[in-house]
PDB file of all heavy atoms in Angstrom:
ATOM      1  N   ALA A 204     -31.357  17.374  -7.246  1.00 98.00           N
ATOM      2  CA  ALA A 204     -31.721  18.784  -7.394  1.00 98.00           C
ATOM      3  C   ALA A 204     -30.594  19.605  -8.015  1.00 98.00           C
ATOM      4  O   ALA A 204     -29.412  19.279  -7.873  1.00 98.00           O
ATOM      5  CB  ALA A 204     -32.111  19.385  -6.053  1.00 98.00           C
ATOM      6  N   GLU A 205     -30.978  20.674  -8.694  1.00 98.00           N
ATOM      7  CA  GLU A 205     -29.995  21.642  -9.198  1.00 98.00           C
ATOM      8  C   GLU A 205     -30.416  23.030  -8.752  1.00 98.00           C
ATOM      9  O   GLU A 205     -31.587  23.433  -8.904  1.00 98.00           O
ATOM     10  CB  GLU A 205     -29.900  21.613 -10.727  1.00 98.00           C
ATOM     11  CG  GLU A 205     -28.841  22.571 -11.249  1.00 98.00           C
ATOM     12  CD  GLU A 205     -28.694  22.560 -12.759  1.00 98.00           C
ATOM     13  OE1 GLU A 205     -29.651  22.095 -13.442  1.00 98.00           O
ATOM     14  OE2 GLU A 205     -27.643  23.005 -13.274  1.00 98.00           O
ATOM     15  N   LEU A 206     -29.486  23.750  -8.189  1.00 98.00           N
ATOM     16  CA  LEU A 206     -29.732  25.122  -7.716  1.00 98.00           C
ATOM     17  C   LEU A 206     -28.979  26.054  -8.650  1.00 98.00           C
ATOM     18  O   LEU A 206     -27.784  25.883  -8.916  1.00 98.00           O
ATOM     19  CB  LEU A 206     -29.219  25.287  -6.287  1.00 98.00           C
ATOM     20  CG  LEU A 206     -29.201  26.713  -5.725  1.00 98.00           C
ATOM     21  CD1 LEU A 206     -30.621  27.214  -5.500  1.00 98.00           C
ATOM     22  CD2 LEU A 206     -28.410  26.757  -4.411  1.00 98.00           C
ATOM     23  N   ILE A 207     -29.668  27.092  -9.149  1.00 98.00           N
ATOM     24  CA  ILE A 207     -29.044  28.079 -10.028  1.00 98.00           C
ATOM     25  C   ILE A 207     -29.246  29.466  -9.428  1.00 98.00           C
ATOM     26  O   ILE A 207     -30.374  29.831  -9.052  1.00 98.00           O
ATOM     27  CB  ILE A 207     -29.654  28.014 -11.446  1.00 98.00           C
ATOM     28  CG1 ILE A 207     -29.371  26.663 -12.081  1.00 98.00           C
ATOM     29  CG2 ILE A 207     -29.063  29.132 -12.314  1.00 98.00           C
ATOM     30  CD1 ILE A 207     -30.033  26.479 -13.430  1.00 98.00           C
ATOM     31  N   LEU A 208     -28.159  30.227  -9.354  1.00 98.00           N
ATOM     32  CA  LEU A 208     -28.200  31.625  -8.873  1.00 98.00           C
ATOM     33  C   LEU A 208     -27.820  32.521 -10.032  1.00 98.00           C
ATOM     34  O   LEU A 208     -26.698  32.422 -10.567  1.00 98.00           O
ATOM     35  CB  LEU A 208     -27.224  31.787  -7.703  1.00 98.00           C
ATOM     36  CG  LEU A 208     -27.322  30.802  -6.558  1.00 98.00           C
ATOM     37  CD1 LEU A 208     -26.244  31.100  -5.513  1.00 98.00           C
ATOM     38  CD2 LEU A 208     -28.715  30.834  -5.913  1.00 98.00           C
ATOM     39  N   ARG A 209     -28.724  33.400 -10.443  1.00 97.00           N
ATOM     40  CA  ARG A 209     -28.434  34.353 -11.499  1.00 97.00           C
ATOM     41  C   ARG A 209     -28.260  35.750 -10.902  1.00 97.00           C
ATOM     42  O   ARG A 209     -29.186  36.314 -10.344  1.00 97.00           O
ATOM     43  CB  ARG A 209     -29.566  34.350 -12.553  1.00 97.00           C
ATOM     44  CG  ARG A 209     -29.573  33.029 -13.311  1.00 97.00           C
ATOM     45  CD  ARG A 209     -30.617  32.922 -14.363  1.00 97.00           C
ATOM     46  NE  ARG A 209     -30.569  31.610 -15.030  1.00 97.00           N
ATOM     47  CZ  ARG A 209     -31.585  31.061 -15.676  1.00 97.00           C
ATOM     48  NH1 ARG A 209     -32.741  31.711 -15.757  1.00 97.00           N
ATOM     49  NH2 ARG A 209     -31.437  29.873 -16.221  1.00 97.00           N
ATOM     50  N   LEU A 210     -27.049  36.254 -11.015  1.00 96.00           N
ATOM     51  CA  LEU A 210     -26.670  37.516 -10.375  1.00 96.00           C
ATOM     52  C   LEU A 210     -27.094  38.707 -11.228  1.00 96.00           C
ATOM     53  O   LEU A 210     -26.974  38.695 -12.460  1.00 96.00           O
ATOM     54  CB  LEU A 210     -25.150  37.525 -10.159  1.00 96.00           C
ATOM     55  CG  LEU A 210     -24.598  36.318  -9.390  1.00 96.00           C
ATOM     56  CD1 LEU A 210     -23.088  36.369  -9.354  1.00 96.00           C
ATOM     57  CD2 LEU A 210     -25.155  36.248  -7.972  1.00 96.00           C
ATOM     58  N   ARG A 211     -27.513  39.744 -10.537  1.00 92.00           N
ATOM     59  CA  ARG A 211     -27.972  40.941 -11.250  1.00 92.00           C
ATOM     60  C   ARG A 211     -26.909  42.026 -11.329  1.00 92.00           C
ATOM     61  O   ARG A 211     -26.990  42.911 -12.185  1.00 92.00           O
ATOM     62  CB  ARG A 211     -29.224  41.493 -10.576  1.00 92.00           C
ATOM     63  CG  ARG A 211     -30.410  40.555 -10.657  1.00 92.00           C
ATOM     64  CD  ARG A 211     -31.675  41.279 -10.286  1.00 92.00           C
ATOM     65  NE  ARG A 211     -32.856  40.415 -10.241  1.00 92.00           N
ATOM     66  CZ  ARG A 211     -34.067  40.835  -9.977  1.00 92.00           C
ATOM     67  NH1 ARG A 211     -34.263  42.130  -9.708  1.00 92.00           N
ATOM     68  NH2 ARG A 211     -35.088  39.977  -9.931  1.00 92.00           N
ATOM     69  N   ASP A 212     -25.917  42.035 -10.408  1.00 87.00           N
ATOM     70  CA  ASP A 212     -24.881  43.038 -10.427  1.00 87.00           C
ATOM     71  C   ASP A 212     -23.623  42.490 -11.091  1.00 87.00           C
ATOM     72  O   ASP A 212     -23.344  41.298 -11.051  1.00 87.00           O
ATOM     73  CB  ASP A 212     -24.540  43.467  -8.991  1.00 87.00           C
ATOM     74  CG  ASP A 212     -25.723  44.162  -8.326  1.00 87.00           C
ATOM     75  OD1 ASP A 212     -26.403  44.946  -9.012  1.00 87.00           O
ATOM     76  OD2 ASP A 212     -25.951  43.935  -7.128  1.00 87.00           O
ATOM     77  N   GLU A 213     -22.844  43.390 -11.659  1.00 85.00           N
ATOM     78  CA  GLU A 213     -21.634  42.995 -12.367  1.00 85.00           C
ATOM     79  C   GLU A 213     -20.414  42.972 -11.448  1.00 85.00           C
ATOM     80  O   GLU A 213     -19.484  42.213 -11.688  1.00 85.00           O
ATOM     81  CB  GLU A 213     -21.376  43.927 -13.538  1.00 85.00           C
ATOM     82  CG  GLU A 213     -22.479  43.914 -14.621  1.00 85.00           C
ATOM     83  CD  GLU A 213     -22.147  44.846 -15.755  1.00 85.00           C
ATOM     84  OE1 GLU A 213     -21.036  45.378 -15.791  1.00 85.00           O
ATOM     85  OE2 GLU A 213     -23.044  45.017 -16.625  1.00 85.00           O
ATOM     86  N   ASN A 214     -20.354  43.820 -10.465  1.00 85.00           N
ATOM     87  CA  ASN A 214     -19.147  44.004  -9.656  1.00 85.00           C
ATOM     88  C   ASN A 214     -19.383  43.733  -8.173  1.00 85.00           C
ATOM     89  O   ASN A 214     -20.520  43.683  -7.697  1.00 85.00           O
ATOM     90  CB  ASN A 214     -18.638  45.445  -9.811  1.00 85.00           C
ATOM     91  CG  ASN A 214     -18.016  45.670 -11.163  1.00 85.00           C
ATOM     92  OD1 ASN A 214     -17.106  44.956 -11.568  1.00 85.00           O
ATOM     93  ND2 ASN A 214     -18.507  46.675 -11.879  1.00 85.00           N
ATOM     94  N   GLY A 215     -18.277  43.539  -7.460  1.00 88.00           N
ATOM     95  CA  GLY A 215     -18.296  43.450  -6.001  1.00 88.00           C
ATOM     96  C   GLY A 215     -18.485  42.063  -5.424  1.00 88.00           C
ATOM     97  O   GLY A 215     -18.567  41.903  -4.213  1.00 88.00           O
TER      98      GLY A 215
END
Side-chain angles (χ1 to χ4, degrees):
E205 182 179 21
L206 172 69
I207 297 175
L208 309 178
R209 291 181 181 158
L210 306 174
R211 296 194 184 181
D212 295 320
E213 298 181 7
N214 288 305

